[in-house]
Amino acid sequence: MDLPVVDLAPFLGAAGGGEEEVRALCATVSASLRDTGALLVKDPRCSAADNDRFLDVVERYFARSADEKRLQERPHLHYQVGVTPEGVEVPRSLVDKDMQEKIKGMPEEFQPATPKGPDPKWRYMWRVGPRPANTRFKELNSEPVIPDGLPEWKETMDSWGSKMISAIEVVAEMAAIGFGLPKDAFTSLMKEGPHLLAPTGSDLQRHGSEGTVFAGFHYDLNFLTIHGRSRFPGLNIWLRNGKKMEVKVPVGCLLIQSGKQLEWLTGGECLAGMHEVVVTKRTLDAIALAKEQNRSLWRVSSTLFAHIASDAILKPLGHFAETPNADSYPPVRAGDYVEQELSVINLKGKDGL
C-alpha cells in the first residue's frame, strides 16, 4: 500500500482549485491521518533544493567529533535545545510494558526490530517560530543554541523550519475541515507552540549493518511531525490495521505523521502513528551508492515536531468530545503532558531534574 500524495497547491489557491476539489483534498488528509497515521504532501513553497541545502549543512555538523558536538549539549533543559548525543534517548518500546505486550501480540512479520539499548542516533533541537512572553514551561521554550564555525546555520535552520511549519499549518487546517471542525480548530492552539526542527544524525560508517535500530518503535508526543526526504531510507510505519510498511518519500515530497497531541484533540479518532528507523536492505544499497559517489555517510532526517502551545489545554475538540473514547483523554496542559513523556524516554529526570 502506498500513502496518498496530497498537493497543497489547490488549497493555497496556487492551482486555481475549485471548492469541490479542495473539499475532496481535505477529506483525503483527515482520512489518511485517521486510517494510516501518515500522508505525503507536496507544497510548492518547499522545494527539493531547500531540503538538500538543509541536509548539506546538518551533515557537516554531525561529521564533527563527539567532543565538538557536545559543546552544544543542554541536558538541564531536557535536551529541548542543542544536541542530544547518541545513547541518551531511550526508545519507548524498551520501557513501556503495555507497548511490549502489544508488540508480542503482533503477527511476526509486522513486529518491530528489537533495540539493544538507547538509540545510537544524535539529534539537534532547533526552535522554530515565536515563543510566548509568559509561560509556566520555561525549559520547553528556551533560547536556541548556535554551533560555532557554521555561519549559514541559523539562516538555513530558520528558513527550512519556517517552510515546514507553514506546510504543517496548511495540513492542520485541511484536517480540521475534513473532520468537520472549524478551519482554525488546530492552528489556533499551535500559536507560539514549542515547535522544534529536530534533525537526527545516524553514523552509517559505524552503525551501518543491516538490522541496526536507530530509533526504536515509538510514537511522537507532539501534534504533527513532518519530514523532508532523507538521503538514506529506513523508516517503517505501522498503519491503523496493524500492518507495517517501509515509507518511500518521493523527491519533492514531505511526510506528515500524527502525534499524541492530535490523538488527544480527536478523542482517539486519530491514533499517534507508531514508527521506527532501522538499517534495511534499501539502506545498504544507498550506503553503497554514497560510498561510490564519495558522499557523507551520515543519515540525516529533516524532522520537525509541531506542537500545541505549552500553556494550551489538550482535550477532545467539538464533536470528538462525544465519542466513546473521549473520557480516556481528560483535559491536561500540553506542557505538563510533554514533560511527563520526556521523563519516560530519559530526556528529563523522573523527579523533574
Side-chain angles (χ1 to χ4, degrees), residues 46-306:
C46 300
S47 70
D50 290 331
N51 189 38
D52 282 340
R53 178 172 165 244
F54 169 83
L55 293 177
D56 288 345
V57 173
V58 179
E59 278 176 0
R60 289 211 302 283
Y61 172 76
F62 282 128
R64 292 177 166 186
S65 73
D67 286 345
E68 281 180 284
K69 292 195 287 268
R70 282 179 182 277
L71 297 174
Q72 286 80 51
E73 191 180 1
R74 300 290 183 272
H76 63 290
L77 297 175
H78 315 333
Y79 297 99
Q80 294 306 286
V81 289
V83 80
T84 308
E86 64 181 21
V88 170
E89 189 172 337
V90 174
R92 190 158 189 126
S93 52
L94 267 188
V95 290
D96 185 324
K97 295 280 185 285
D98 291 343
M99 196 178 280
Q100 288 165 4
E101 287 305 310
K102 188 177 161 191
I103 290 169
K104 278 184 202 155
M106 292 177 172
E108 208 166 307
E109 70 269 29
F110 299 144
Q111 286 186 3
T114 307
K116 305 279 189 290
D119 291 337
K121 68 172 191 287
W122 291 75
R123 189 193 287 287
Y124 206 101
M125 296 289 210
W126 180 262
R127 51 180 271 182
V128 176
R131 291 293 194 264
N134 296 304
T135 175
R136 301 168 182 227
F137 303 98
K138 294 273 187 263
E139 299 93 340
L140 302 182
N141 295 279
S142 305
E143 287 302 312
V145 178
I146 303 173
D148 292 334
L150 285 169
E152 68 275 54
W153 179 270
K154 185 178 188 304
E155 194 276 326
T156 303
M157 300 293 270
D158 286 345
S159 168
W160 185 234
S162 63
K163 286 182 179 190
M164 292 216 289
I165 281 285
S166 297
I168 285 259
E169 286 171 345
V170 170
V171 169
E173 287 184 350
M174 293 174 78
I177 293 166
F179 284 131
L181 297 171
K183 178 179 170 181
D184 69 346
F186 298 130
T187 50
S188 61
L189 296 172
M190 289 172 64
K191 283 191 174 57
E192 297 186 337
H195 312 309
L196 290 167
L197 180 55
T200 61
S202 305
D203 186 353
L204 295 169
Q205 186 85 49
R206 286 176 58 223
H207 304 293
S209 51
E210 190 175 352
T212 299
V213 183
F214 281 121
F217 186 66
H218 68 288
Y219 57 75
D220 290 343
L221 59 86
N222 53 299
F223 171 58
L224 287 172
T225 301
I226 184 167
H227 310 264
R229 187 171 186 267
S230 174
R231 289 170 175 162
F232 297 90
L235 175 67
N236 294 321
I237 66 169
W238 276 259
L239 308 180
R240 187 149 190 162
N241 62 12
K243 288 190 173 166
K244 172 183 176 178
M245 69 176 269
E246 189 173 359
V247 178
K248 299 179 175 82
V249 180
V251 174
C253 286
L254 301 161
L255 172 69
I256 309 269
Q257 291 176 284
S258 55
K260 205 70 178 176
Q261 293 174 355
L262 177 63
E263 181 177 323
W264 219 273
L265 296 172
T266 60
E269 178 85 1
C270 285
L271 295 178
M274 302 304 300
H275 51 283
E276 68 179 2
V277 179
V278 180
V279 176
T280 64
K281 286 193 165 55
R282 287 181 63 234
T283 320
L284 296 181
D285 292 342
I287 291 171
L289 184 61
K291 281 179 176 171
E292 267 176 45
Q293 297 175 347
N294 207 22
R295 286 190 287 108
S296 170
L297 290 179
W298 278 88
R299 182 195 188 275
V300 173
S301 73
S302 61
T303 302
L304 184 139
F305 299 122

